[in-house]
Amino acid sequence: MLYAADLACLKGDRLLFRGLSLQVAPGAMLRIAGPNGFGKTSLLRILCGLAHPEAGEIRWNGRSIASDRESFHRTLLYLGHAPALNDLLTPLENLRFACAAAGDDVDEDVCVDALVRIGLADQLDLPARVLSQGQRRRVGLARLFLGIRRSLWVLDEPFTALDAAAVADLATTLSDHCAAGGVVILTTHQDAPFAVPPTVLDLSEVAA
Amino acid sequence: MSRTLGPFAAVLRRDLLLAWRGRADVLVTLAFFVVVVCLFPFGVGAETNQLRSIAPGVLWVAALLATLLSLHRLFAQDHADGTLEQLLLSPEPTVLWVVAKIVAHWIATGMPLVLVAPALALLFDVEQGALGVLVLSLALGTPILALLGAVGAALTLGLRGGGMLLALLVLPLFVPVLIFGAGAVDSHLSGTGADAHILLLGGGLLGALALAPVACAAALRIAVE
């Protein structure tokens, strides 16, 4: 259960939103909506603990994420706008590093399976700089297909640059995660075929 | 144990692999060091006694500048591609992988300088007995430069004109290292023995190792926010 109360976000000297409260129960999916520049990404980064809110507090399972960072980050999987790929490493090396850095012990076979599943079987040994935009995006998303038990997924525009089949596949994976009791919070501008339509939080309603 | 060392080993291995794949960058730093050192005889004249006496200082200043030149690479790429965010979200202690990054950076850029320095010292006709002291002073001193520089690199991450600011920020901090590093070789040559200088450098290294990663981790959190 993710609970945030009375959040405010200041960007430069502009107040993006204030008095924002939200609550996401296990098994629920929350979509943050709103026009560009209304603080969707800022909100996601605040919810992850990457940025500090100007006011308000966030609790995960009843405990403040600021005071219990370590165990919160053990249950969090955040995929930001940048896919966190190094151009000199292969997709497999990038994926394995991402897992190791996050403290997940994942076998190489599992990583290969995940990359094959998302359609990168032919690119396993190529440096990431030769991949297309959509393929880079897929490598970034591959961590979602590893079956790691992290209950809170926070995804910034996960569907960008993906083709229709990949969008459907990802939507199914996200729906399955929720069905298994996980929490998904995402931003997106496009309609995806979710099993259960997500709850929508519109930032233009809380804009300061 | 292996769990805690996971991110440390992963970052160390990855950064060394990246240094190997991008070895042109590493070679540029080394070439810069060699070229700067070789410029001095042209500037001050090829009088042997004079060259012999300025050699420790020249080698140390060149090593310091070469280190400075490579510092901006330490976090810039990871900051740009989002890797830094992912590392900061790791449940493992931030200090751990920060140390791994600095160690990998030193192995890729500092260690080659230490290894090449004796050859360059011979160009200046430094007596062979002093080469050991020179190598030891650089081996203890360049890691301090990397540790202090990493704090500067983290503080100036993502700023416009960050490179210039980085130089202004860390060069004053490098001064004590320079004094004791070059001083070690000088005092060996003058017969007073380099022990005091080497011990001070060793103490400085331990102090920097204890404090710099913590400051660096805090600066990185601010930079990403």
Side-chain angles (χ1 to χ4, degrees):
Chain A
M1 159 91 80
L2 184 77
Y3 169 81
D6 212 16
L7 292 180
C9 171
L10 194 68
K11 198 99 190 177
D13 48 9
R14 200 178 135 229
L15 197 59
L16 287 180
F17 52 78
R18 68 167 168 227
L20 187 151
S21 298
L22 59 86
Q23 194 166 332
V24 196
M29 190 185 300
L30 176 71
R31 183 184 146 206
I32 317 272
N36 295 127
F38 271 64
K40 295 192 291 295
T41 297
S42 301
L43 175 59
L44 290 189
R45 290 170 57 87
I46 287 173
L47 291 179
C48 292
L50 273 175
H52 291 290
E54 200 58 24
E57 73 156 345
I58 301 154
R59 289 172 175 275
W60 171 250
N61 291 339
R63 293 159 82 175
S64 160
I65 66 163
S67 63
D68 200 9
R69 181 192 86 85
E70 207 172 290
S71 55
F72 174 61
H73 283 165
R74 222 173 274 289
T75 60
L76 168 76
L77 202 164
Y78 168 73
L79 297 180
H81 219 78
L85 292 191
N86 191 293
D87 282 347
L88 295 177
L89 299 178
T90 67
L92 184 58
E93 286 164 341
N94 271 305
L95 181 57
R96 294 208 67 193
F97 172 71
C99 293
D104 291 325
D105 199 9
V106 183
D107 281 341
E108 177 157 350
D109 297 344
V110 179
C111 291
V112 171
D113 288 348
L115 288 169
V116 169
R117 167 170 174 193
I118 56 174
L120 288 167
D122 297 334
Q123 284 82 17
L124 283 179
D125 294 324
L126 295 177
R129 67 173 163 335
V130 303
L131 299 184
S132 75
Q133 209 57 38
Q135 286 172 328
R136 296 173 67 86
R137 192 77 215 171
R138 287 173 190 224
V139 181
L141 293 168
R143 277 177 72 200
L144 301 178
F145 300 98
L146 291 173
I148 300 166
R149 286 308 306 159
R150 285 183 177 244
S151 42
L152 175 60
W153 290 4
V154 178
L155 312 171
D156 196 356
E157 299 284 353
F159 297 110
T160 309
L162 294 183
D163 58 35
V167 168
D169 187 22
L170 180 57
T172 312
T173 306
L174 297 185
S175 299
D176 290 349
H177 179 66
C178 288
V183 172
V184 175
I185 300 176
L186 78 164
T187 63
T188 176
H189 287 290
Q190 85 195 72
D191 286 321
F194 293 115
V196 182
T199 324
V200 177
L201 171 75
D202 195 339
L203 284 185
S204 55
E205 287 166 11
V206 288
Chain B
M1 191 67 185
S2 68
R3 228 190 119 78
T4 329
L5 281 179
F8 179 86
V11 169
L12 186 66
R13 202 176 321 120
R14 166 184 182 267
D15 277 22
L16 288 175
L17 182 65
L18 284 175
W20 174 247
R21 295 213 177 138
R23 42 193 182 275
D25 286 341
V26 173
L27 286 175
V28 165
T29 309
L30 192 58
F32 176 83
F33 177 61
V34 173
V35 169
V36 167
V37 170
C38 292
L39 279 180
F40 275 84
F42 294 110
V44 299
E47 212 273 301
T48 314
N49 276 332
Q50 193 180 15
L51 287 184
R52 207 178 282 148
S53 65
I54 62 167
V58 167
L59 283 163
W60 256 96
V61 170
L64 190 150
L65 292 177
T67 304
L68 185 66
L69 196 70
S70 66
L71 274 180
H72 72 99
R73 282 204 309 270
L74 188 48
F75 298 114
Q77 182 60 41
D78 289 345
H79 182 54
D81 68 21
T83 305
L84 208 53
E85 284 181 354
Q86 291 298 335
L87 283 169
L88 286 169
L89 289 177
S90 167
E92 311 301 340
T94 310
V95 171
L96 214 60
W97 59 259
V98 166
V99 172
K101 282 200 86 70
I102 298 172
V103 169
H105 183 76
W106 181 78
I107 292 175
T109 59
M111 207 163 69
L113 304 184
V114 177
L115 297 177
V116 171
L120 292 172
L122 286 178
L123 289 180
F124 285 72
D125 196 29
V126 174
E127 73 174 67
Q128 300 208 354
L131 294 184
V133 177
L134 175 70
V135 169
L136 187 59
S137 72
L138 283 169
L140 289 172
T142 48
I144 307 181
L145 301 182
L147 284 159
L148 294 177
V151 180
L155 282 171
T156 55
L157 199 57
L159 297 183
R160 256 181 310 120
M164 212 55 208
L165 197 60
L166 173 61
L168 286 176
L169 207 62
V170 298
L171 278 179
L173 297 175
F174 283 0
V175 170
V177 186
L178 175 65
I179 291 172
F180 292 117
V185 188
D186 278 333
S187 54
H188 176 83
L189 289 173
S190 67
T192 43
D195 290 1
H197 291 83
I198 294 295
L199 286 175
L200 275 166
L201 280 177
L205 176 56
L206 291 179
L209 195 58
L211 299 176
V214 180
C216 195
L220 286 174
R221 287 201 179 278
I222 296 168
V224 164
E225 192 171 328

